[in-house]
Amino acid sequence: MAEVTNQSPLHGEITCGSLLQQLQRIWDEVGEKEDERDRMILEIEEECLDVYKRKVDQAAKSRAELLRTLADAQVELTSLLSALGEKTFVEIPERNSGTIKEQLAAIAPLLEQLWKQKDERIEEFFEVQSQIQKIRGEITGANGQKGNPAVDESDLSLKKLGEFQSQLQELQKEKSDRLHKVLEFVSSVHDLCAVLGMDFFSTVTEVHPSLNDSTGVQSKSISNDTLSVLAKTVLALKEEKQQRLHKLQELASQLVDLWNLMDTSEEERQLFDHITCNISASVEEVTIPGALALDLIEQAEVEVERLDKLKASRMREIAFKKQAELEEIYARAHVEIDPEAARENIISLIESGEVEPSELLADMDNQITKAKEESASRKEILDKVEKWTSACEEESWLEDYSRDDNRYNASRGAHLNLKRAEKARILVNKIPALVETLIAKTRAWEEDRSLQFTYDGVPLLAMLDEYAMLRQDREEEKRRLRSKHDRIRKSSMSS
C-alpha cells in the first residue's frame, strides 16, 4: 500500500492526508497487517465515493430545480409578454448567457415588473368592464344583479383594452341618449299632468321610483322597461288630454249656445272664460296648468245642467221677445201679420215639446233674418210711399185751404199758411210723377218675387189705382165747378 504523505497547508488544520498519517501511526503501533490495512483503506475510499456521489446527486438535483425554475420563469415571462401584448422587451436577457443563477437573477426583476404591470392592467380591465357591466345593467334593468366581471388574464393587451374602452364609450353615448330621452319623457309627463291637474310625483314614480325630482340626473333609470312604460304613460296622458279637451269643448259649445239662447249677460259669461277660452284650441295650444282638470270639467257640466233646467222656464220669455222683434220689423216694413196666432203657435210648440227650444229659436232667428231682408227690399218703395202719403196730406190741406174764403185776411199766421200753400202746390204737382214711379217700381218688385206688394195688408198697386181714380174724379169736379163759375160770371156780365 502506498504511503500517504499529504500534509495540511495550514498548521493544525485537519485534512484527509493528516488523518491518514495519523491512522498509519496507529496501525504501526498496533501492528496491523497490510491486507487489513488495504481493506480498511478500501472501505474508506468507498465511503468517500458514496459521499461524493450523494453530493453530486444533490448538486445535480439542485441544478435541475434551478433549470426548471429558470424554464418556468422564461415561460412566465413569455406568457406575461403575450398576455400584455408586448412583442419585444429590450431588457430580456439572452438565453445561455451566464450561469443559471445569473440568468434567474436577470429574469427576476423583469418578472416583477411585468407582474406589477399585469396587476395594473387587470385593474384597468376590471374598471372598464365594471362600467360596461353597470351600464348594460342599467339598460336591461338588471343593474346590481350580477357579480363582479371576470377579467380574461390571457389577453390584457392594449388593443383589447382599447376595444373595451370603445365599447364603453358607445355604451356611455347610448346611456346619455337614453337619459336625454327619459328627461324628455319626464318633462312631457310633468307638462301633461300640470294641464290635466294630476299629481306628477305619483304618476312618474309609479313608472320608476328614481324618476322623482329628488333623485340626481345620473341616478335615473334608463332601462328598456322604463323607457317603454314612460312612452306608454306619455301616450296615455296625451289621449286623456285629447278626450278631456274634446269633452270640455263640447261643454263650452253647449254653454255658448245656452247663453245665446237665453241672452245671458257678458258679466255672467266672463265667469266661465277659463272654460270657453279653449273652445276652438288645438291640443298643442292648451298648456295652462289645470286647464283640463277634472274639477273644471265637472264645473262646466254642472253649469250646463243648471242652464238646461233654467232654459225651459225662460224659453217662453225669450221666444216672445224674438216674436216682438219680428213684429216690430214687419210693422216698420208695413207688412201685416197675425201676432196673436204666432204667439199661440209658440206656446203650443213649447208646451208640446215636439220641437227643441234651440230649434224653435233658430227658426225664429231665420224668420227675423228673412224679415230684415224683406224689409230691406221694400225700403226704397216704402220711402217713396212715405213721400206720396205726405204729399197727399198736403194736397188735402191745400184743398181745404183753397175753400176757405178768409184765407187772405190779415189774421195771425196767415202769411205762414200762404207760404205752406205755395210749397204744397209745388209738392202736389209732383204727385203724378211720384205715383208713376211708385207703380213702376212696385210692379218690378212683384215680378222679381212673384209676390204681391202690400202696405198694411192692402195691395199697394190697388191703393195707387184708387188714388189715381179719386184724383181724376176730383180734377173733373174741379173742371165742372170752374165751368159753372165761368157761365155764371158771363151771365152776370151780359145782363
Side-chain angles (χ1 to χ4, degrees), residues 139-254:
I139 291 173
T140 61
N143 190 26
Q145 296 181 9
K146 295 183 179 180
N148 292 330
V151 177
D152 181 9
E153 297 185 11
S154 64
D155 188 356
L156 299 173
S157 63
L158 291 175
K159 178 182 178 182
K160 189 67 175 180
L161 181 61
E163 291 175 1
F164 277 120
Q165 288 172 337
S166 297
Q167 189 176 350
L168 176 59
Q169 288 176 355
E170 292 176 2
L171 286 171
Q172 287 173 334
K173 183 180 183 304
E174 183 178 355
K175 177 180 178 179
S176 176
D177 294 341
R178 283 171 169 263
L179 185 59
H180 181 69
K181 191 66 176 176
V182 165
L183 294 177
E184 281 186 348
F185 278 139
V186 170
S187 177
S188 297
V189 171
H190 179 273
D191 294 343
L192 288 166
C193 284
V195 173
L196 297 171
M198 296 172 63
D199 185 1
F200 163 71
F201 180 81
S202 63
T203 302
V204 79
T205 52
E206 188 176 340
V207 176
H208 197 279
S210 68
L211 299 180
N212 64 69
D213 291 337
S214 62
T215 305
V217 173
Q218 295 299 324
S219 300
K220 296 190 183 299
S221 173
I222 59 169
S223 69
N224 294 328
D225 287 344
T226 298
L227 282 170
S228 176
V229 177
L230 271 176
K232 291 177 181 177
T233 301
V234 170
L235 181 61
L237 289 173
K238 285 182 177 180
E239 290 176 353
E240 180 68 15
K241 181 181 179 182
Q242 175 70 57
Q243 292 172 2
R244 289 195 191 181
L245 178 61
H246 180 68
K247 177 67 174 176
L248 194 67
Q249 287 177 336
E250 284 185 342
L251 291 169
S253 297
Q254 292 176 36

Side-chain angles (χ1 to χ4, degrees), residues 284-399:
E284 293 75 17
E285 292 172 338
V286 181
T287 57
I288 299 174
L292 299 177
L294 285 176
D295 57 349
L296 198 70
I297 295 175
E298 291 173 2
Q299 180 187 0
E301 288 174 337
V302 169
E303 181 62 13
V304 167
E305 185 178 355
R306 184 186 75 82
L307 292 176
D308 267 333
K309 293 177 180 178
L310 183 62
K311 175 182 67 176
S313 62
R314 292 193 58 190
M315 190 50 54
R316 182 178 299 187
E317 175 189 343
I318 297 168
F320 281 176
K321 184 177 179 181
K322 291 186 179 294
Q323 178 61 30
E325 182 183 356
L326 185 62
E327 291 171 5
E328 184 181 351
I329 294 170
Y330 279 132
R332 287 198 302 267
H334 295 276
V335 176
E336 191 175 57
I337 60 173
D338 188 351
E340 291 301 323
R343 290 173 185 270
E344 289 176 3
N345 183 52
I346 290 171
I347 294 172
S348 175
L349 289 173
I350 292 174
E351 291 179 349
S352 67
E354 295 177 357
V355 180
E356 283 290 328
S358 58
E359 292 180 5
L360 174 61
L361 296 183
D363 180 63
M364 295 191 72
D365 286 335
N366 288 335
Q367 292 182 45
I368 290 171
T369 300
K370 290 179 180 179
K372 289 179 178 178
E373 291 174 355
E374 184 177 354
S375 176
S377 72
R378 294 164 62 92
K379 186 177 185 307
E380 184 180 5
I381 295 175
L382 290 176
D383 289 343
K384 293 189 179 300
V385 168
E386 187 178 349
K387 291 180 180 180
W388 171 56
T389 54
S390 177
C392 288
E393 289 174 0
E394 289 299 299
E395 184 182 27
S396 177
W397 177 87
L398 185 59
E399 289 178 354

Side-chain angles (χ1 to χ4, degrees), residues 39-136:
R39 184 186 63 77
M40 293 179 69
I41 289 174
L42 181 60
E43 289 178 358
I44 291 171
E45 289 177 351
E46 288 176 354
E47 289 176 0
C48 288
L49 183 61
D50 289 340
V51 170
Y52 276 112
K53 285 181 179 180
R54 286 197 302 274
K55 292 298 181 181
V56 169
D57 290 341
Q58 289 175 358
K61 185 178 181 180
S62 176
R63 182 188 63 183
E65 290 177 356
L66 287 173
L67 286 172
R68 280 195 299 271
T69 302
L70 179 61
D72 291 342
Q74 290 172 339
V75 169
E76 178 71 9
L77 180 63
T78 303
S79 176
L80 286 170
L81 291 173
S82 174
L84 294 171
E86 301 291 348
K87 295 182 180 179
T88 58
F89 202 98
V90 293
E91 298 182 6
I92 296 178
E94 295 182 2
R95 294 196 177 196
N96 302 323
S97 60
T99 65
I100 296 174
K101 289 187 177 181
E102 288 174 346
Q103 292 181 56
L104 282 172
I107 288 178
L110 297 179
L111 286 175
E112 184 177 355
Q113 180 182 347
L114 290 175
W115 281 331
K116 181 180 178 182
Q117 187 176 346
K118 177 182 178 181
D119 290 340
E120 293 173 351
R121 193 71 59 80
I122 288 174
E123 184 65 28
E124 290 182 73
F125 271 82
F126 180 81
E127 180 65 25
V128 173
Q129 288 180 243
S130 295
Q131 292 184 52
I132 290 174
Q133 179 176 294
K134 181 175 181 293
I135 296 175
R136 281 177 174 168

